[in-house]
Amino acid sequence: SVIYQYAQGDDDNGKPLTIDASMPIGSVSKQFCAACILFLCEQNVLSVEDTLDKYYPDYKHGKELTVKNLLNMSSGLRNYLELVEPSMFGEDEWENTTAITKTIFEQEFRFEPGKDYEYSNSNYFLLAQIVEKASGIAYHKFLREQFFEPLGMTHTGFVEEIAKDTA
């Protein structure tokens, strides 16, 4: 039973926070993405040793990078958030995803894959796409069906859903 509840402050739209306010969790979501990858490994759908050319056959460095490199931030990929501006994107998620992927793949490595560590959102951006490619369903749907619903996480969702709820 609840002993104490309290909310203070405003959300990004200036509305007062409530106990049940939707909040983005940012990089905490990376754990869920990693769980999806490992779940697919357990199902023998993919392997952490898979090279990226399996999922991105046209990527020139696809044979040099593994799923494991992405998971443990040892890919050498530049952080796409440092390469793109939000104003570059429109409403079409597929077009935006394609543009970001292209931007990531146009860059040279910051270091040889597996030889160093550097936090990069590009790793988990690509891992979410690999979940989609390996499972055959949208990442959001996969996560909801395989994790959120079975675990009873009924108040957990995605940024797009939060935006629709607050519009």
Short mmCIF file of all heavy atoms in Angstrom, two decimals, residues 95-131:
data_model
loop_
_atom_site.label_atom_id
_atom_site.label_comp_id
_atom_site.label_asym_id
_atom_site.label_seq_id
_atom_site.Cartn_x
_atom_site.Cartn_y
_atom_site.Cartn_z
N GLU A 95 11.70 7.91 -42.61
CA GLU A 95 12.66 8.82 -43.26
C GLU A 95 13.69 9.32 -42.26
O GLU A 95 14.89 9.40 -42.58
CB GLU A 95 11.93 10.00 -43.89
CG GLU A 95 11.19 9.63 -45.16
CD GLU A 95 10.46 10.83 -45.77
OE1 GLU A 95 10.67 11.98 -45.33
OE2 GLU A 95 9.68 10.60 -46.71
N ASN A 96 13.27 9.65 -41.05
CA ASN A 96 14.19 10.13 -40.03
C ASN A 96 15.19 9.04 -39.65
O ASN A 96 16.39 9.31 -39.54
CB ASN A 96 13.43 10.59 -38.79
CG ASN A 96 12.56 11.80 -39.05
OD1 ASN A 96 12.76 12.54 -40.02
ND2 ASN A 96 11.57 12.00 -38.20
N THR A 97 14.70 7.84 -39.44
CA THR A 97 15.57 6.71 -39.08
C THR A 97 16.57 6.43 -40.19
O THR A 97 17.76 6.22 -39.92
CB THR A 97 14.72 5.44 -38.79
OG1 THR A 97 13.85 5.74 -37.71
CG2 THR A 97 15.58 4.25 -38.45
N THR A 98 16.11 6.47 -41.41
CA THR A 98 16.99 6.24 -42.56
C THR A 98 18.08 7.31 -42.63
O THR A 98 19.26 7.00 -42.85
CB THR A 98 16.17 6.21 -43.87
OG1 THR A 98 15.20 5.16 -43.79
CG2 THR A 98 17.07 5.98 -45.08
N ALA A 99 17.70 8.56 -42.41
CA ALA A 99 18.67 9.67 -42.46
C ALA A 99 19.71 9.55 -41.34
O ALA A 99 20.90 9.77 -41.57
CB ALA A 99 17.94 11.00 -42.39
N ILE A 100 19.27 9.21 -40.15
CA ILE A 100 20.21 9.07 -39.02
C ILE A 100 21.15 7.90 -39.27
O ILE A 100 22.37 8.02 -39.06
CB ILE A 100 19.45 8.90 -37.69
CG1 ILE A 100 18.71 10.19 -37.34
CG2 ILE A 100 20.41 8.50 -36.57
CD1 ILE A 100 17.73 10.06 -36.20
N THR A 101 20.63 6.79 -39.73
CA THR A 101 21.47 5.62 -40.02
C THR A 101 22.51 5.97 -41.07
O THR A 101 23.69 5.65 -40.92
CB THR A 101 20.60 4.43 -40.49
OG1 THR A 101 19.62 4.15 -39.50
CG2 THR A 101 21.45 3.19 -40.75
N LYS A 102 22.09 6.64 -42.11
CA LYS A 102 23.02 7.07 -43.18
C LYS A 102 24.12 7.96 -42.61
O LYS A 102 25.30 7.78 -42.91
CB LYS A 102 22.24 7.80 -44.28
CG LYS A 102 23.08 8.24 -45.45
CD LYS A 102 22.20 8.88 -46.52
CE LYS A 102 22.96 9.27 -47.74
NZ LYS A 102 23.64 10.52 -47.65
N THR A 103 23.73 8.89 -41.76
CA THR A 103 24.71 9.80 -41.14
C THR A 103 25.71 9.01 -40.29
O THR A 103 26.92 9.25 -40.36
CB THR A 103 23.99 10.85 -40.27
OG1 THR A 103 23.12 11.62 -41.11
CG2 THR A 103 24.98 11.77 -39.58
N ILE A 104 25.24 8.07 -39.50
CA ILE A 104 26.13 7.24 -38.67
C ILE A 104 27.12 6.49 -39.56
O ILE A 104 28.32 6.48 -39.30
CB ILE A 104 25.32 6.23 -37.82
CG1 ILE A 104 24.50 6.95 -36.76
CG2 ILE A 104 26.25 5.19 -37.17
CD1 ILE A 104 23.46 6.08 -36.06
N PHE A 105 26.61 5.88 -40.62
CA PHE A 105 27.44 5.03 -41.48
C PHE A 105 28.40 5.82 -42.37
O PHE A 105 29.35 5.26 -42.90
CB PHE A 105 26.58 4.10 -42.31
CG PHE A 105 25.94 2.98 -41.51
CD1 PHE A 105 24.89 2.27 -42.03
CD2 PHE A 105 26.38 2.65 -40.24
CE1 PHE A 105 24.30 1.23 -41.31
CE2 PHE A 105 25.80 1.63 -39.50
CZ PHE A 105 24.75 0.92 -40.05
N GLU A 106 28.17 7.11 -42.54
CA GLU A 106 29.08 7.95 -43.33
C GLU A 106 30.33 8.33 -42.55
O GLU A 106 31.33 8.75 -43.15
CB GLU A 106 28.36 9.22 -43.79
CG GLU A 106 27.35 9.00 -44.87
CD GLU A 106 26.54 10.25 -45.19
OE1 GLU A 106 26.54 11.21 -44.39
OE2 GLU A 106 25.89 10.24 -46.25
N GLN A 107 30.30 8.18 -41.24
CA GLN A 107 31.41 8.60 -40.39
C GLN A 107 32.49 7.52 -40.30
O GLN A 107 32.19 6.33 -40.38
CB GLN A 107 30.91 8.90 -38.97
CG GLN A 107 29.73 9.83 -38.90
CD GLN A 107 29.99 11.17 -39.56
OE1 GLN A 107 31.01 11.80 -39.30
NE2 GLN A 107 29.09 11.60 -40.41
N GLU A 108 33.70 7.94 -40.09
CA GLU A 108 34.79 7.01 -39.80
C GLU A 108 34.77 6.71 -38.30
O GLU A 108 34.25 7.49 -37.50
CB GLU A 108 36.14 7.59 -40.22
CG GLU A 108 36.28 7.74 -41.73
CD GLU A 108 36.11 6.43 -42.50
OE1 GLU A 108 36.62 5.39 -42.03
OE2 GLU A 108 35.46 6.46 -43.56
N PHE A 109 35.34 5.59 -37.92
CA PHE A 109 35.40 5.21 -36.51
C PHE A 109 36.23 6.21 -35.72
O PHE A 109 37.22 6.75 -36.21
CB PHE A 109 36.06 3.84 -36.34
CG PHE A 109 35.26 2.70 -36.90
CD1 PHE A 109 35.84 1.83 -37.80
CD2 PHE A 109 33.94 2.47 -36.52
CE1 PHE A 109 35.12 0.76 -38.31
CE2 PHE A 109 33.22 1.41 -37.02
CZ PHE A 109 33.81 0.55 -37.92
N ARG A 110 35.85 6.42 -34.47
CA ARG A 110 36.66 7.23 -33.56
C ARG A 110 37.83 6.41 -33.04
O ARG A 110 38.85 6.95 -32.63
CB ARG A 110 35.80 7.75 -32.41
CG ARG A 110 34.79 8.80 -32.90
CD ARG A 110 33.93 9.37 -31.82
NE ARG A 110 34.62 9.94 -30.70
CZ ARG A 110 35.16 11.17 -30.65
NH1 ARG A 110 35.12 11.93 -31.71
NH2 ARG A 110 35.71 11.61 -29.54
N PHE A 111 37.67 5.09 -33.02
CA PHE A 111 38.74 4.16 -32.65
C PHE A 111 38.38 2.79 -33.24
O PHE A 111 37.25 2.58 -33.66
CB PHE A 111 38.92 4.07 -31.13
CG PHE A 111 37.66 3.74 -30.37
CD1 PHE A 111 37.23 2.42 -30.21
CD2 PHE A 111 36.89 4.76 -29.82
CE1 PHE A 111 36.07 2.14 -29.53
CE2 PHE A 111 35.73 4.47 -29.12
CZ PHE A 111 35.31 3.15 -28.98
N GLU A 112 39.35 1.92 -33.29
CA GLU A 112 39.13 0.59 -33.83
C GLU A 112 38.12 -0.18 -32.95
O GLU A 112 38.28 -0.22 -31.72
CB GLU A 112 40.45 -0.18 -33.89
CG GLU A 112 40.33 -1.54 -34.52
CD GLU A 112 41.66 -2.29 -34.52
OE1 GLU A 112 42.72 -1.63 -34.44
OE2 GLU A 112 41.62 -3.52 -34.60
N PRO A 113 37.08 -0.74 -33.56
CA PRO A 113 36.08 -1.46 -32.78
C PRO A 113 36.70 -2.51 -31.85
O PRO A 113 37.60 -3.25 -32.24
CB PRO A 113 35.20 -2.12 -33.84
CG PRO A 113 35.33 -1.22 -35.03
CD PRO A 113 36.76 -0.74 -34.99
N GLY A 114 36.23 -2.50 -30.61
CA GLY A 114 36.70 -3.46 -29.61
C GLY A 114 37.95 -3.04 -28.88
O GLY A 114 38.37 -3.70 -27.93
N LYS A 115 38.56 -1.92 -29.26
CA LYS A 115 39.83 -1.50 -28.66
C LYS A 115 39.69 -0.40 -27.61
O LYS A 115 40.65 -0.05 -26.95
CB LYS A 115 40.80 -1.01 -29.75
CG LYS A 115 41.14 -2.06 -30.77
CD LYS A 115 41.92 -3.20 -30.17
CE LYS A 115 42.31 -4.20 -31.22
NZ LYS A 115 42.87 -5.41 -30.68
N ASP A 116 38.49 0.15 -27.47
CA ASP A 116 38.28 1.22 -26.50
C ASP A 116 36.80 1.26 -26.17
O ASP A 116 36.01 0.48 -26.70
CB ASP A 116 38.76 2.56 -27.08
CG ASP A 116 39.13 3.58 -26.01
OD1 ASP A 116 38.82 3.36 -24.83
OD2 ASP A 116 39.71 4.63 -26.37
N TYR A 117 36.43 2.19 -25.31
CA TYR A 117 35.04 2.38 -24.89
C TYR A 117 34.71 3.85 -25.02
O TYR A 117 35.49 4.71 -24.64
CB TYR A 117 34.87 1.95 -23.42
CG TYR A 117 33.58 2.43 -22.80
CD1 TYR A 117 32.43 1.66 -22.89
CD2 TYR A 117 33.50 3.66 -22.16
CE1 TYR A 117 31.23 2.10 -22.35
CE2 TYR A 117 32.31 4.11 -21.61
CZ TYR A 117 31.18 3.32 -21.71
OH TYR A 117 30.00 3.77 -21.18
N GLU A 118 33.52 4.13 -25.57
CA GLU A 118 33.03 5.51 -25.60
C GLU A 118 31.52 5.47 -25.74
O GLU A 118 30.98 4.82 -26.63
CB GLU A 118 33.62 6.29 -26.78
CG GLU A 118 33.19 7.74 -26.81
CD GLU A 118 33.90 8.52 -27.89
OE1 GLU A 118 33.43 8.49 -29.04
OE2 GLU A 118 34.92 9.14 -27.58
N TYR A 119 30.85 6.17 -24.84
CA TYR A 119 29.39 6.23 -24.86
C TYR A 119 28.93 6.86 -26.16
O TYR A 119 29.38 7.94 -26.54
CB TYR A 119 28.91 7.06 -23.67
CG TYR A 119 27.42 7.04 -23.47
CD1 TYR A 119 26.84 6.10 -22.63
CD2 TYR A 119 26.60 7.94 -24.12
CE1 TYR A 119 25.46 6.07 -22.43
CE2 TYR A 119 25.23 7.92 -23.94
CZ TYR A 119 24.67 6.99 -23.10
OH TYR A 119 23.31 6.96 -22.91
N SER A 120 28.02 6.18 -26.85
CA SER A 120 27.48 6.70 -28.09
C SER A 120 26.06 6.21 -28.27
O SER A 120 25.80 5.00 -28.31
CB SER A 120 28.34 6.25 -29.29
OG SER A 120 27.71 6.61 -30.50
N ASN A 121 25.13 7.13 -28.41
CA ASN A 121 23.73 6.77 -28.64
C ASN A 121 23.55 6.03 -29.97
O ASN A 121 22.56 5.33 -30.15
CB ASN A 121 22.85 8.02 -28.62
CG ASN A 121 22.72 8.57 -27.22
OD1 ASN A 121 22.12 7.95 -26.36
ND2 ASN A 121 23.29 9.74 -26.99
N SER A 122 24.49 6.17 -30.87
CA SER A 122 24.40 5.47 -32.16
C SER A 122 24.32 3.97 -31.97
O SER A 122 23.63 3.27 -32.72
CB SER A 122 25.62 5.81 -33.03
OG SER A 122 25.63 7.19 -33.33
N ASN A 123 25.02 3.45 -30.96
CA ASN A 123 25.02 2.01 -30.71
C ASN A 123 23.61 1.48 -30.47
O ASN A 123 23.18 0.51 -31.08
CB ASN A 123 25.91 1.68 -29.50
CG ASN A 123 27.35 1.98 -29.76
OD1 ASN A 123 27.93 1.55 -30.73
ND2 ASN A 123 27.95 2.76 -28.86
N TYR A 124 22.89 2.12 -29.59
CA TYR A 124 21.55 1.63 -29.24
C TYR A 124 20.50 2.03 -30.25
O TYR A 124 19.48 1.36 -30.40
CB TYR A 124 21.21 2.03 -27.80
CG TYR A 124 21.88 1.06 -26.86
CD1 TYR A 124 23.24 1.16 -26.56
CD2 TYR A 124 21.18 -0.01 -26.33
CE1 TYR A 124 23.88 0.23 -25.76
CE2 TYR A 124 21.80 -0.95 -25.52
CZ TYR A 124 23.15 -0.82 -25.24
OH TYR A 124 23.78 -1.76 -24.45
N PHE A 125 20.75 3.08 -31.00
CA PHE A 125 19.89 3.42 -32.13
C PHE A 125 19.92 2.26 -33.13
O PHE A 125 18.87 1.81 -33.60
CB PHE A 125 20.39 4.72 -32.77
CG PHE A 125 19.58 5.16 -33.96
CD1 PHE A 125 18.43 5.90 -33.78
CD2 PHE A 125 19.98 4.83 -35.24
CE1 PHE A 125 17.68 6.30 -34.88
CE2 PHE A 125 19.24 5.23 -36.34
CZ PHE A 125 18.08 5.97 -36.16
N LEU A 126 21.12 1.77 -33.43
CA LEU A 126 21.26 0.65 -34.37
C LEU A 126 20.74 -0.66 -33.77
O LEU A 126 20.12 -1.47 -34.47
CB LEU A 126 22.72 0.49 -34.80
CG LEU A 126 23.29 1.67 -35.59
CD1 LEU A 126 24.77 1.47 -35.85
CD2 LEU A 126 22.53 1.89 -36.90
N LEU A 127 20.97 -0.88 -32.48
CA LEU A 127 20.47 -2.11 -31.84
C LEU A 127 18.95 -2.19 -31.91
O LEU A 127 18.40 -3.28 -32.14
CB LEU A 127 20.94 -2.19 -30.39
CG LEU A 127 22.41 -2.55 -30.19
CD1 LEU A 127 22.82 -2.34 -28.74
CD2 LEU A 127 22.70 -3.98 -30.64
N ALA A 128 18.25 -1.08 -31.73
CA ALA A 128 16.79 -1.10 -31.83
C ALA A 128 16.37 -1.51 -33.24
O ALA A 128 15.42 -2.28 -33.41
CB ALA A 128 16.21 0.27 -31.46
N GLN A 129 17.10 -1.04 -34.25
CA GLN A 129 16.80 -1.45 -35.62
C GLN A 129 17.09 -2.93 -35.83
O GLN A 129 16.36 -3.62 -36.55
CB GLN A 129 17.62 -0.62 -36.61
CG GLN A 129 17.18 0.82 -36.72
CD GLN A 129 18.01 1.55 -37.73
OE1 GLN A 129 18.19 1.11 -38.86
NE2 GLN A 129 18.54 2.69 -37.32
N ILE A 130 18.15 -3.42 -35.21
CA ILE A 130 18.48 -4.84 -35.34
C ILE A 130 17.38 -5.69 -34.70
O ILE A 130 17.02 -6.75 -35.24
CB ILE A 130 19.87 -5.13 -34.73
CG1 ILE A 130 20.95 -4.49 -35.63
CG2 ILE A 130 20.10 -6.63 -34.56
CD1 ILE A 130 22.35 -4.49 -35.06
N VAL A 131 16.82 -5.25 -33.60
CA VAL A 131 15.68 -5.95 -33.00
C VAL A 131 14.55 -6.06 -34.02
O VAL A 131 13.96 -7.13 -34.22
CB VAL A 131 15.18 -5.25 -31.71
CG1 VAL A 131 13.84 -5.82 -31.25
CG2 VAL A 131 16.22 -5.35 -30.61
#
